[in-house]
Amino acid sequence: MKTKIIKTNMKTVITESDKKELQSAKYLLENPGIGAKITNFIGTPIEKGFEKLPEDWKEKIGEITQKSLLKATEAAVFTMKGHTVEEPSNKWHKLAVIASGGVGGFFGFTALAIELPISTTIMLRSIADIARSQGEQIDEYESKFACMEVFALGGESKSDDASESGYFAIRAVLAKSISETIEILTTRTGTEVATPALMKFIANISQRFGIQISEKAAAQALPIAGAAGGALINIVFIDHFQDMAKGHFIVRKLERIYGKELVRETYDLLDKKFVKAS
């Protein structure tokens, strides 16, 4: 059923049901990041895991993250078509990630280059599935890049600069890169033009996604992890990004109805401490 928009003195007002949905989205988007969730799950601060990673782990994770995002883009969201209002297949995607997480947990950091492209591709398929369920047309570049954008949405993190960590702040940082990349892909031809533009965008995403990957790798480096622990950590990992995706695409859906300005104004006034959406 189509949302009925109320106007008061010729000014559009978001309905109470849509406001409630927006509040649930804010809860998902602005609450603790993956590091805090993993720490809560395993009962041990993941900071201890960083001490067990190789000396050059930051450089390696940066390279692995970019390659994983590029492979996931080619294998997942860029091959999806159309849209659907059906519920996304979150459970099936979680089961697939459990298997890849077991490999990472058993072999540790050395397996990250093998495991991460697989789990990232699965997560991106899940994100795109959620996007379609919220009315996104995945055939369109804007929706495809909105799916990629989810990997930059990590929730609150100690490592974030407060001025850049809010949901709309992150979207604002990425907006120019997204519009430039879409413009190149839609108006110019040839891989020699498209590939550098796409790689530049992926580099912007990987800067933030790499933080989440670092925390995941640190958790899997802890003695309590192992194969079973790696699989369970991956469940926390994909669950986190499914939450980010749901919140993100609820906001985008409401923006299509009410406009970006009104949704942003309403979002800022809402309390983020709210019962999580089902």
Side-chain angles (χ1 to χ4, degrees):
M1 186 173 71
K2 200 169 183 180
T3 300
K4 183 178 180 180
I5 300 175
I6 300 173
K7 291 189 176 182
T8 304
N9 295 328
M10 300 306 292
K11 183 178 180 180
T12 302
V13 177
I14 296 180
T15 64
E16 286 303 313
S17 60
D18 285 343
K19 189 181 292 186
K20 184 176 180 180
E21 191 173 20
L22 183 61
Q23 190 167 36
S24 71
K26 184 169 184 175
Y27 174 90
L28 295 170
L29 292 164
E30 304 285 358
N31 271 271
I34 190 66
K37 291 176 181 176
I38 291 176
T39 294
N40 183 61
F41 179 74
I42 63 178
T44 302
I46 60 173
E47 283 76 13
K48 294 182 179 180
F50 285 109
E51 300 171 5
K52 300 182 180 298
L53 295 177
E55 291 185 4
D56 59 346
W57 66 268
K58 286 185 178 180
E59 180 181 346
K60 287 184 177 179
I61 283 179
E63 294 174 358
I64 294 169
T65 300
Q66 286 203 37
K67 289 180 181 178
S68 298
L69 286 170
L70 181 60
K71 288 181 179 179
T73 301
E74 295 170 346
V77 69
F78 274 27
T79 63
M80 293 188 79
K81 302 293 182 182
H83 70 281
T84 177
V85 294
E86 296 177 2
E87 285 296 310
S89 306
N90 290 347
K91 291 182 180 179
W92 289 109
H93 290 117
K94 285 179 182 176
L95 288 173
V97 160
I98 288 173
S100 65
V103 174
F106 184 80
F107 292 102
F109 186 81
T110 56
L112 189 65
I114 299 171
E115 183 264 326
L116 188 61
I118 297 172
S119 59
T120 303
T121 299
I122 295 168
M123 287 194 295
L124 189 52
R125 286 292 291 199
S126 180
I127 289 168
D129 205 14
I130 292 168
R132 292 195 304 184
S133 74
Q134 294 294 335
E136 295 282 342
Q137 188 73 36
I138 299 298
D139 305 80
E140 299 174 357
Y141 277 124
E142 184 181 350
S143 293
K144 294 178 190 291
F145 283 101
C147 290
M148 293 292 293
E149 203 173 12
V150 171
F151 286 120
L153 306 175
E156 291 183 350
S157 172
K158 293 179 181 178
S159 58
D160 282 333
D161 181 332
S163 65
E164 297 181 350
S165 62
Y167 168 67
F168 282 101
I170 294 171
R171 284 183 65 183
V173 168
L174 294 172
K176 183 178 180 181
S177 176
I178 290 174
S179 61
E180 288 178 349
T181 306
I182 292 175
E183 193 273 334
I184 290 172
L185 291 173
T186 54
T187 61
R188 307 181 196 180
T189 58
T191 56
E192 70 281 358
V193 174
T195 300
L198 184 59
M199 286 302 298
K200 183 179 178 182
F201 170 71
I202 287 175
N204 289 333
I205 296 292
S206 69
Q207 287 179 1
R208 298 195 64 85
F209 187 44
I211 296 172
Q212 328 303 328
I213 298 302
S214 298
E215 293 170 333
K216 175 180 180 292
Q220 292 183 186
L222 292 168
I224 62 170
L232 293 173
I233 288 169
N234 258 22
I235 294 177
V236 178
F237 201 62
I238 189 172
D239 186 66
H240 171 78
F241 283 105
Q242 285 176 342
D243 282 351
M244 293 294 109
K246 185 171 183 179
H248 180 45
F249 290 109
I250 285 174
V251 172
R252 283 178 54 85
K253 176 183 67 179
L254 295 176
E255 287 177 342
R256 291 193 295 273
I257 298 171
Y258 298 101
K260 292 183 178 181
E261 185 177 346
L262 179 57
V263 171
R264 173 65 188 274
E265 289 176 358
T266 307
Y267 183 99
D268 287 342
L269 294 172
L270 294 173
D271 187 350
K272 67 181 177 182
K273 299 185 186 301
F274 185 68
V275 177
K276 180 179 175 179
S278 58

PDB file of all heavy atoms in Angstrom, residues 69-83:
ATOM      1  N   LEU A  69      36.821  -6.237  -2.263  1.00  0.00           N
ATOM      2  CA  LEU A  69      35.708  -5.380  -2.692  1.00  0.00           C
ATOM      3  C   LEU A  69      35.557  -5.389  -4.209  1.00  0.00           C
ATOM      4  O   LEU A  69      34.438  -5.422  -4.728  1.00  0.00           O
ATOM      5  CB  LEU A  69      35.929  -3.946  -2.190  1.00  0.00           C
ATOM      6  CG  LEU A  69      35.689  -3.713  -0.697  1.00  0.00           C
ATOM      7  CD1 LEU A  69      36.176  -2.329  -0.288  1.00  0.00           C
ATOM      8  CD2 LEU A  69      34.212  -3.875  -0.351  1.00  0.00           C
ATOM      9  N   LEU A  70      36.689  -5.380  -4.923  1.00  0.00           N
ATOM     10  CA  LEU A  70      36.631  -5.392  -6.382  1.00  0.00           C
ATOM     11  C   LEU A  70      36.041  -6.704  -6.882  1.00  0.00           C
ATOM     12  O   LEU A  70      35.161  -6.713  -7.755  1.00  0.00           O
ATOM     13  CB  LEU A  70      38.029  -5.185  -6.972  1.00  0.00           C
ATOM     14  CG  LEU A  70      38.099  -5.143  -8.510  1.00  0.00           C
ATOM     15  CD1 LEU A  70      37.243  -4.006  -9.057  1.00  0.00           C
ATOM     16  CD2 LEU A  70      39.545  -4.990  -8.975  1.00  0.00           C
ATOM     17  N   LYS A  71      36.496  -7.826  -6.328  1.00  0.00           N
ATOM     18  CA  LYS A  71      35.972  -9.133  -6.748  1.00  0.00           C
ATOM     19  C   LYS A  71      34.500  -9.266  -6.401  1.00  0.00           C
ATOM     20  O   LYS A  71      33.718  -9.811  -7.177  1.00  0.00           O
ATOM     21  CB  LYS A  71      36.785 -10.250  -6.090  1.00  0.00           C
ATOM     22  CG  LYS A  71      38.192 -10.400  -6.654  1.00  0.00           C
ATOM     23  CD  LYS A  71      38.941 -11.544  -5.989  1.00  0.00           C
ATOM     24  CE  LYS A  71      40.336 -11.684  -6.580  1.00  0.00           C
ATOM     25  NZ  LYS A  71      41.100 -12.792  -5.930  1.00  0.00           N
ATOM     26  N   ALA A  72      34.127  -8.766  -5.217  1.00  0.00           N
ATOM     27  CA  ALA A  72      32.733  -8.843  -4.801  1.00  0.00           C
ATOM     28  C   ALA A  72      31.842  -8.020  -5.713  1.00  0.00           C
ATOM     29  O   ALA A  72      30.731  -8.429  -6.065  1.00  0.00           O
ATOM     30  CB  ALA A  72      32.588  -8.367  -3.358  1.00  0.00           C
ATOM     31  N   THR A  73      32.337  -6.855  -6.123  1.00  0.00           N
ATOM     32  CA  THR A  73      31.583  -5.981  -7.018  1.00  0.00           C
ATOM     33  C   THR A  73      31.311  -6.671  -8.344  1.00  0.00           C
ATOM     34  O   THR A  73      30.198  -6.640  -8.878  1.00  0.00           O
ATOM     35  CB  THR A  73      32.354  -4.669  -7.273  1.00  0.00           C
ATOM     36  OG1 THR A  73      32.586  -4.019  -6.023  1.00  0.00           O
ATOM     37  CG2 THR A  73      31.580  -3.742  -8.183  1.00  0.00           C
ATOM     38  N   GLU A  74      32.332  -7.322  -8.878  1.00  0.00           N
ATOM     39  CA  GLU A  74      32.207  -7.989 -10.177  1.00  0.00           C
ATOM     40  C   GLU A  74      31.315  -9.221 -10.088  1.00  0.00           C
ATOM     41  O   GLU A  74      30.529  -9.498 -10.986  1.00  0.00           O
ATOM     42  CB  GLU A  74      33.592  -8.391 -10.680  1.00  0.00           C
ATOM     43  CG  GLU A  74      34.496  -7.198 -10.984  1.00  0.00           C
ATOM     44  CD  GLU A  74      35.936  -7.606 -11.245  1.00  0.00           C
ATOM     45  OE1 GLU A  74      36.284  -8.767 -10.923  1.00  0.00           O
ATOM     46  OE2 GLU A  74      36.701  -6.776 -11.768  1.00  0.00           O
ATOM     47  N   ALA A  75      31.412  -9.954  -8.954  1.00  0.00           N
ATOM     48  CA  ALA A  75      30.711 -11.235  -8.839  1.00  0.00           C
ATOM     49  C   ALA A  75      29.311 -11.131  -8.250  1.00  0.00           C
ATOM     50  O   ALA A  75      28.486 -12.018  -8.455  1.00  0.00           O
ATOM     51  CB  ALA A  75      31.536 -12.205  -7.986  1.00  0.00           C
ATOM     52  N   ALA A  76      29.038 -10.064  -7.515  1.00  0.00           N
ATOM     53  CA  ALA A  76      27.766  -9.987  -6.790  1.00  0.00           C
ATOM     54  C   ALA A  76      26.833  -8.924  -7.337  1.00  0.00           C
ATOM     55  O   ALA A  76      26.039  -9.155  -8.246  1.00  0.00           O
ATOM     56  CB  ALA A  76      28.037  -9.752  -5.297  1.00  0.00           C
ATOM     57  N   VAL A  77      26.931  -7.714  -6.794  1.00  0.00           N
ATOM     58  CA  VAL A  77      25.913  -6.704  -7.054  1.00  0.00           C
ATOM     59  C   VAL A  77      25.813  -6.294  -8.522  1.00  0.00           C
ATOM     60  O   VAL A  77      24.722  -5.992  -9.014  1.00  0.00           O
ATOM     61  CB  VAL A  77      26.152  -5.463  -6.164  1.00  0.00           C
ATOM     62  CG1 VAL A  77      27.397  -4.712  -6.551  1.00  0.00           C
ATOM     63  CG2 VAL A  77      24.948  -4.547  -6.197  1.00  0.00           C
ATOM     64  N   PHE A  78      26.923  -6.294  -9.267  1.00  0.00           N
ATOM     65  CA  PHE A  78      26.848  -5.855 -10.659  1.00  0.00           C
ATOM     66  C   PHE A  78      26.190  -6.898 -11.559  1.00  0.00           C
ATOM     67  O   PHE A  78      25.965  -6.652 -12.726  1.00  0.00           O
ATOM     68  CB  PHE A  78      28.248  -5.494 -11.176  1.00  0.00           C
ATOM     69  CG  PHE A  78      28.635  -4.069 -10.862  1.00  0.00           C
ATOM     70  CD1 PHE A  78      28.097  -3.404  -9.773  1.00  0.00           C
ATOM     71  CD2 PHE A  78      29.540  -3.392 -11.662  1.00  0.00           C
ATOM     72  CE1 PHE A  78      28.440  -2.100  -9.481  1.00  0.00           C
ATOM     73  CE2 PHE A  78      29.901  -2.074 -11.369  1.00  0.00           C
ATOM     74  CZ  PHE A  78      29.356  -1.431 -10.282  1.00  0.00           C
ATOM     75  N   THR A  79      25.922  -8.094 -11.019  1.00  0.00           N
ATOM     76  CA  THR A  79      25.241  -9.124 -11.805  1.00  0.00           C
ATOM     77  C   THR A  79      23.778  -9.285 -11.401  1.00  0.00           C
ATOM     78  O   THR A  79      23.048 -10.028 -12.043  1.00  0.00           O
ATOM     79  CB  THR A  79      25.944 -10.482 -11.635  1.00  0.00           C
ATOM     80  OG1 THR A  79      25.864 -10.883 -10.271  1.00  0.00           O
ATOM     81  CG2 THR A  79      27.401 -10.403 -12.056  1.00  0.00           C
ATOM     82  N   MET A  80      23.347  -8.588 -10.333  1.00  0.00           N
ATOM     83  CA  MET A  80      21.960  -8.697  -9.885  1.00  0.00           C
ATOM     84  C   MET A  80      21.055  -7.798 -10.724  1.00  0.00           C
ATOM     85  O   MET A  80      21.465  -6.749 -11.197  1.00  0.00           O
ATOM     86  CB  MET A  80      21.842  -8.333  -8.406  1.00  0.00           C
ATOM     87  CG  MET A  80      22.529  -9.320  -7.488  1.00  0.00           C
ATOM     88  SD  MET A  80      22.199  -9.000  -5.736  1.00  0.00           S
ATOM     89  CE  MET A  80      20.558  -9.722  -5.592  1.00  0.00           C
ATOM     90  N   LYS A  81      19.829  -8.239 -10.891  1.00  0.00           N
ATOM     91  CA  LYS A  81      18.871  -7.514 -11.726  1.00  0.00           C
ATOM     92  C   LYS A  81      17.577  -7.249 -10.975  1.00  0.00           C
ATOM     93  O   LYS A  81      17.216  -7.952 -10.046  1.00  0.00           O
ATOM     94  CB  LYS A  81      18.562  -8.324 -12.992  1.00  0.00           C
ATOM     95  CG  LYS A  81      19.774  -8.668 -13.843  1.00  0.00           C
ATOM     96  CD  LYS A  81      20.388  -7.455 -14.471  1.00  0.00           C
ATOM     97  CE  LYS A  81      21.565  -7.840 -15.366  1.00  0.00           C
ATOM     98  NZ  LYS A  81      22.211  -6.639 -15.954  1.00  0.00           N
ATOM     99  N   GLY A  82      16.860  -6.201 -11.448  1.00  0.00           N
ATOM    100  CA  GLY A  82      15.500  -5.938 -11.010  1.00  0.00           C
ATOM    101  C   GLY A  82      15.326  -5.577  -9.551  1.00  0.00           C
ATOM    102  O   GLY A  82      16.259  -5.185  -8.867  1.00  0.00           O
ATOM    103  N   HIS A  83      14.089  -5.696  -9.084  1.00  0.00           N
ATOM    104  CA  HIS A  83      13.777  -5.402  -7.697  1.00  0.00           C
ATOM    105  C   HIS A  83      12.637  -6.302  -7.241  1.00  0.00           C
ATOM    106  O   HIS A  83      11.912  -6.872  -8.041  1.00  0.00           O
ATOM    107  CB  HIS A  83      13.393  -3.929  -7.519  1.00  0.00           C
ATOM    108  CG  HIS A  83      12.079  -3.557  -8.109  1.00  0.00           C
ATOM    109  ND1 HIS A  83      11.916  -3.324  -9.449  1.00  0.00           N
ATOM    110  CD2 HIS A  83      10.861  -3.416  -7.530  1.00  0.00           C
ATOM    111  CE1 HIS A  83      10.641  -3.020  -9.680  1.00  0.00           C
ATOM    112  NE2 HIS A  83       9.971  -3.079  -8.544  1.00  0.00           N
TER     113      HIS A  83
END
